[in-house]
Amino acid sequence: MSLDLAAVRYRYAGSSSVALGPVDLRVEPGMVVGVAGANESGKTTLCLVAAGMAPGVIGGRIEGSIVVDGVNAATLRPHELAQRCGLLFQRAATQLTHTTATVFEEVAFGPCNLSLAADEVVERVWWALGALGIEALAPREPTRLSGGQGQLVALASVLALRPKYLILDEPTSELDPAGTALVADALVRAARETGAGILLVEHKTDVLARIADEMVVLDRGSVAMRGPVADILGDVRLADLGVEAPAKVRLARDLQAAGADFTAELASALG
Amino acid sequence: MERSPLVPDPGSAASSPGLPRNLGLPEYVTRRPSGFYRTLNPATKLAIAALEVVTVFLVPGWLGPIAVLLVLAVVAAASHTARALAVIGLAASPLVISIMVVNLFILPGAVDPIFRAGPIAPTWSGLWFGLLTSTRLLVFSSAVALAYVTTPVDDLLADMSRRGLGRRGVFVVGAAVQMVPRTIERVGEIMDAQRARGMDTEGRIWRRARAIVPLAAPVVFGALTEVEERTMALEARAFTAPGRQTQLRVPADRSRDRALRWAALLALAGVVVLRLSGRVG
Amino acid sequence: MSAATAARTTAAPTIEFEGVSFAYPDGTQALDGLDLRIEPGETVAIVGQNGSGKSTLVKHLNGLLRPTAGRVLMDGEDVRAVHVARLAARVGLAFQNPDRQLCAGSVKAEIEFGPRNLGIRGAELDERVKAALDAVGLAGEVDTNPYDMGYSRRKLLAIASVLAMLTPILILDEPTTGQDARGVARVGSVVAAAAAAGRTVIAVSHDMRFAAECFGRVVVMRDGSVALDGAPAEVFAEPHWPELRAANLEPPLPAVAGARLGLGSTPTDATLVAALVELAPERG
């Protein structure tokens, strides 16, 4: 049981250059794999490819293989893939249907597409809203939400499909610190309680340090670094790849440079 | 057996720690309208609107428009929509004025001038024809508007879906209906951004005309990039799954709806037949 | 930015919000009796949770929104009395979403749009375009079509396009959203350069680190009014954490570390390191 990308390369339709690849990646159930990298290093493309949108929906050319729980993703139809690999886009506004009157119905849209019994749809919607602590938004109009609220609703809409793998493209980019912490906690809970595997693209390395198990760093489309999250985030090469070290690492380094060793104190103060 | 990830154990949704209990389908989703006309099934309202439109245009002279106008007035008063209809009437006023002016002065073949002042010669027949055309237009738009303002869009969509229109068809209708307010909102935001950069949208006509180009670019490009993202987002939410979408609420379709629909359709057929056979007009 | 261009910026006005309330047509009360005074040349980060009224607040500065109660004054003059197009010469606002703003076929034409509306032409226009592109690091992209650029670069372009208007007041709405470390550093240097030229810089942000490191003053908004207001070291000091948290915000990590180590208020990496280094000889 895992989501596996092997030697994947991808070109967008009409483009001669490789946007992504080669990428090898494995996400196992219950595990959070972080993805970092400078802007335009291929993070969003990786999400689209891993979720089967590229080339499945938007065309382009792909090499290598994507295997979901032993099934080649290329043989799955988009709706079958959607139930296995849930995809959250970076900007919530484009993800919402704009045809529903309430957040409740917006979150219900996916489960309704699966022709589930109404009772189960209702249960799934409450479950997804509850997992993110946003039951109070249920009666609101989806187009009248703030950026952060919209992002949480979009995430709930994906959770309601109960996919085995979640592919999330910067789910906290528009969120305030409390919203960021909420999403991070909800993801950890989703991964632990239900065994979902999560591929998480995130600029905020403090979030990755907290919830990711492993991570990869992308550079111009290919994997530049990979390994356990603590090793990667402590690596000095990170800065050259346009990725900022978490606060803890930065501070320790600055102190070392200033000739003062407060590693122990810092560790206890930030622990 | 393999447990589906993100799914609590069967039956444990209510008891699992940290998960909310099953709260049922909320009132704001099932929301039921009240009042005789509002609670009619969307299809019934469409059938009535169709009858009204056909009557207005096929029954010659003043009979059709006046008959429909009376019906509309009664329904509007009963369903408290008179104000909304008045707004729509106002919105149509530029069109009405231009119809009046054009017919009054240049109705082809009209030879009964009210007065003459050089080349200007309004005619009586132009006046009557303009009035009749304007009235038809207003009654027509009010009939359609009445069905629209008394029917929430998603009731209409839910009913279409129940009657077997595929999910794509339903989505296309829904998106089309929502497109107008969304585009207006987007244009407002873009206009704000350009005004903030010193573009004068309040000055003279030529200035405003020049301002359209910087507004159009983000509207068009934004819409284009959104289409691709939206397509992907719909796929990511299993939109193309086979089978019929689950419906959380279905607008009621009572016996009185069926009776009214049949009556409206029969009346509509009657009007058409009478018109074709030449018995009216 | 060259000294010559900077010198042409007119002096920034004093900004005053007097009991400003604003409700959207749907009834949402976005601002509620807000009072705020910003002196010329200040750098102010406005922080607060999603929906606390930050974006609504800044749209009152260039007249895009008018208060439903209270007044917004610039050098004592009620903003309501000034035409939006004329306010644009004094207040530059880079919107949160660049796609609502970018309208030209090339990066150069995009940046020229604002200054041209202000009547700038010829050599000065070229100079402004160049300075703005250098400031955001897009100098190599003069002829690129903005819609061929990634989101983060489009966002920098939107900032540059407002920068080139050389308005005495510069407002950036969520400028670091979607930016990587280099992008955030770019935005930080834009703020510093504008402040050095005597311009008032106001940024709306969720990014506490950006607020603490790049601004002289932090204003915390909660439910449409000002909850906390002061220098980063004051606002992020431990006694204010309950208020910060009530506004759904978290103090930056160096502030947390400094407080736990008994070092006082250390809102930035640099202040924390300095405080620790000072402590080192005592410990040694």
Side-chain angles (χ1 to χ4, degrees):
Chain A
M1 292 293 118
S2 57
L3 168 63
D4 281 284
L5 278 67
V8 168
R9 278 170 197 272
Y10 174 74
R11 284 168 221 264
Y12 280 101
S15 165
S16 56
S17 59
V18 175
L20 184 75
V23 171
D24 292 86
L25 194 73
R26 162 172 284 204
V27 184
E28 285 171 16
M31 174 188 195
V32 179
V33 177
V35 180
N39 287 330
E40 296 175 48
S41 62
K43 303 187 298 295
T44 294
T45 309
L46 172 63
C47 290
L48 298 182
V49 166
M53 291 296 151
V57 177
I58 58 165
R61 274 181 46 205
I62 195 163
E63 295 163 39
S65 73
I66 301 169
V67 177
V68 192
D69 292 347
V71 182
N72 186 342
T75 65
L76 294 170
R77 293 167 59 198
H79 68 92
E80 297 171 315
L81 205 49
Q83 292 171 71
R84 291 173 168 82
C85 299
L87 173 63
L88 181 70
F89 293 83
Q90 187 170 356
R91 274 171 290 159
T94 54
Q95 175 132 14
L96 303 178
T97 59
H98 293 280
T99 56
T100 54
T102 63
V103 165
F104 188 96
E105 289 154 281
E106 181 67 36
V107 176
F109 179 77
C112 284
N113 284 334
L114 298 178
S115 314
L116 301 170
D119 283 355
E120 191 180 352
V121 171
V122 170
E123 189 216 303
R124 282 190 179 204
V125 173
W126 282 125
W127 175 82
L129 292 172
L132 297 172
I134 53 169
E135 292 104 320
L137 293 182
R140 297 273 301 273
E141 221 180 302
T143 50
R144 296 262 170 266
L145 300 172
S146 73
Q149 290 169 333
Q151 209 146 12
L152 289 169
V153 170
L155 180 56
S157 304
V158 175
L159 284 180
L161 285 165
R162 293 182 174 165
K164 298 179 170 191
Y165 300 96
L166 286 170
I167 296 161
L168 312 172
D169 191 0
E170 295 196 47
T172 71
S173 66
E174 290 173 16
L175 296 182
D176 55 41
T180 302
L182 179 70
V183 168
D185 291 344
L187 292 179
V188 172
R189 195 143 51 110
R192 291 226 181 100
E193 283 187 12
T194 66
I198 298 176
L199 186 69
L200 172 65
V201 170
E202 184 58 74
H203 272 309
K204 298 174 185 166
T205 45
D206 286 312
V207 171
L208 289 180
R210 219 173 91 208
I211 73 170
D213 304 297
E214 287 181 11
M215 69 177 284
V216 297
V217 182
L218 292 181
D219 183 34
R220 279 162 290 175
S222 46
V223 175
M225 297 169 78
R226 71 162 71 243
V229 80
D231 296 359
I232 301 292
L233 290 177
D235 197 307
V236 286
R237 289 174 296 167
L238 213 50
D240 299 331
L241 298 172
V243 179
E244 189 164 58
K248 236 185 257 193
V249 176
R250 280 191 335 252
L251 288 168
R253 255 183 227 150
D254 289 350
L255 284 168
Q256 226 164 10
D261 182 18
F262 283 89
T263 320
E265 285 88 342
L266 261 187
S268 77
L270 293 172
Chain B
M1 204 192 104
E2 179 203 343
R3 189 162 69 96
S4 172
L6 283 184
V7 185
D9 288 329
S12 73
S15 57
S16 182
L19 294 174
R21 65 213 144 74
N22 190 338
L23 298 165
L25 190 61
E27 157 77 8
Y28 44 77
V29 174
T30 51
R31 64 192 174 272
R32 297 248 171 253
S34 59
F36 178 80
Y37 196 75
R38 283 176 193 272
T39 47
L40 286 181
N41 183 276
T44 311
K45 282 182 264 189
L46 284 180
I48 293 173
L51 169 64
E52 290 165 345
V53 169
V54 166
T55 307
V56 164
F57 285 104
L58 287 195
V59 177
W62 289 91
L63 180 64
I66 286 177
V68 175
L69 201 59
L70 285 176
V71 172
L72 283 176
V74 171
V75 174
S79 59
H80 306 289
T81 47
R83 185 187 288 262
L85 294 189
V87 170
I88 287 161
L90 268 182
S93 58
L95 194 56
V96 167
I97 290 169
S98 62
I99 287 173
M100 284 308 297
V101 168
V102 166
N103 283 301
L104 195 55
F105 292 105
I106 52 169
L107 182 71
V111 286
D112 47 354
I114 303 168
F115 63 86
R116 245 178 225 288
I120 300 169
T123 59
W124 288 110
S125 44
L127 177 68
W128 284 113
F129 189 76
L131 274 177
L132 184 58
T133 311
S134 305
T135 310
R136 280 183 171 156
L137 180 85
L138 282 175
V139 174
F140 161 75
S141 51
S142 303
V144 175
L146 184 66
Y148 181 77
V149 297
T150 56
T151 311
V153 173
D154 33 349
D155 271 358
L156 177 66
L157 298 183
D159 196 58
M160 288 165 78
S161 172
R162 190 177 65 92
R163 289 174 198 281
L165 183 65
R167 54 176 74 186
R168 276 172 198 278
V170 170
F171 191 84
V172 165
V173 172
V177 173
Q178 305 288 352
M179 200 171 76
V180 176
R182 280 193 58 217
T183 306
I184 289 171
E185 202 167 298
R186 184 202 292 261
V187 167
E189 216 182 307
I190 290 169
M191 194 130 89
D192 276 359
Q194 311 307 43
R195 282 163 72 204
R197 289 201 292 168
M199 187 184 74
D200 198 342
T201 52
E202 294 159 18
R204 287 183 210 145
I205 291 278
W206 69 271
R207 266 175 180 255
R208 276 192 271 175
R210 222 175 41 163
I212 289 176
V213 175
L215 289 180
V219 172
V220 173
F221 279 107
L224 285 180
T225 46
E226 249 188 54
V227 167
E228 185 169 76
E229 288 194 27
R230 191 170 303 285
T231 309
M232 289 195 286
L234 286 175
E235 295 284 8
R237 293 173 72 185
F239 184 63
T240 54
R244 187 177 268 202
Q245 274 172 316
T246 311
Q247 289 191 270
L248 295 181
R249 70 203 171 100
V250 179
D253 196 11
R254 285 170 264 235
S255 49
R256 70 167 196 218
D257 279 300
R258 281 186 288 278
L260 271 170
R261 270 205 304 276
W262 278 114
L265 291 176
L266 279 174
L268 194 156
V271 171
V272 173
V273 167
L274 285 175
R275 175 69 175 154
L276 287 180
S277 65
R279 284 197 201 182
V280 244
Chain C
M1 190 181 316
S2 74
T5 345
R8 254 174 258 131
T9 309
T10 45
T14 303
I15 299 165
E16 284 164 289
F17 283 78
E18 284 182 352
V20 172
S21 294
F22 181 81
Y24 283 96
D26 69 354
T28 314
Q29 187 76 32
L31 297 179
D32 191 5
L34 180 125
D35 291 300
L36 184 67
R37 183 186 169 93
I38 297 174
E39 301 296 337
E42 274 195 289
T43 56
V44 184
I46 298 175
V47 302
Q49 74 179 104
N50 293 119
S52 61
K54 309 183 294 290
S55 296
T56 307
L57 171 78
V58 293
K59 281 189 183 164
H60 277 77
L61 285 172
N62 60 1
L64 288 179
L65 296 178
R66 314 261 156 153
T68 38
R71 297 192 302 170
V72 180
L73 306 172
M74 263 187 224
D75 275 345
E77 185 187 12
D78 195 326
V79 169
R80 215 185 304 227
V82 188
H83 200 281
V84 176
R86 201 156 72 75
L87 269 175
R90 294 158 84 185
V91 184
L93 168 60
F95 278 59
Q96 187 172 352
N97 183 352
D99 298 342
R100 294 283 184 271
Q101 182 176 335
L102 302 182
C103 60
S106 76
V107 164
K108 182 167 182 284
E110 187 64 54
I111 297 186
E112 286 178 347
F113 181 81
R116 273 183 189 279
N117 284 334
L118 302 182
I120 309 295
R121 300 284 187 277
E124 175 165 7
L125 185 61
D126 294 341
E127 192 189 334
R128 285 193 182 196
V129 170
K130 189 181 176 308
L133 281 173
D134 286 343
V136 297
L138 291 177
E141 313 250 19
V142 178
D143 299 318
T144 311
N145 184 324
Y147 283 92
D148 288 336
M149 297 164 57
Y151 181 78
S152 51
R153 278 188 297 158
R154 287 210 296 283
K155 190 139 182 162
L156 289 173
L157 172 59
I159 293 173
S161 75
V162 171
L163 214 50
M165 294 169 70
L166 288 184
T167 50
I169 298 172
L170 174 65
I171 307 175
L172 309 172
D173 195 349
E174 301 283 4
T176 62
T177 304
Q179 297 293 345
D180 58 14
R182 291 175 195 139
V184 176
R186 279 279 177 212
V187 178
S189 64
V190 164
V191 173
R199 303 164 76 180
T200 301
V201 186
I202 301 170
V204 166
S205 186
H206 284 139
D207 186 338
M208 294 306 118
R209 183 169 173 227
F210 174 65
E213 293 196 341
C214 302
F215 294 85
R217 179 173 167 196
V218 176
V219 171
V220 177
M221 284 192 65
R222 188 183 163 202
D223 298 336
S225 59
V226 173
L228 289 169
D229 183 359
E234 280 172 67
V235 168
F236 294 122
E238 197 172 3
H240 291 139
W241 292 358
E243 283 159 272
L244 273 180
R245 289 185 174 136
N248 257 1
L249 302 176
E250 283 293 324
L253 270 173
V256 177
R260 295 220 179 117
L261 295 171
L263 298 171
S265 185
T266 54
T268 62
D269 288 14
T271 49
L272 176 63
V273 169
L276 280 169
V277 168
E278 207 170 300
L279 202 70
E282 295 170 28
R283 194 177 66 150

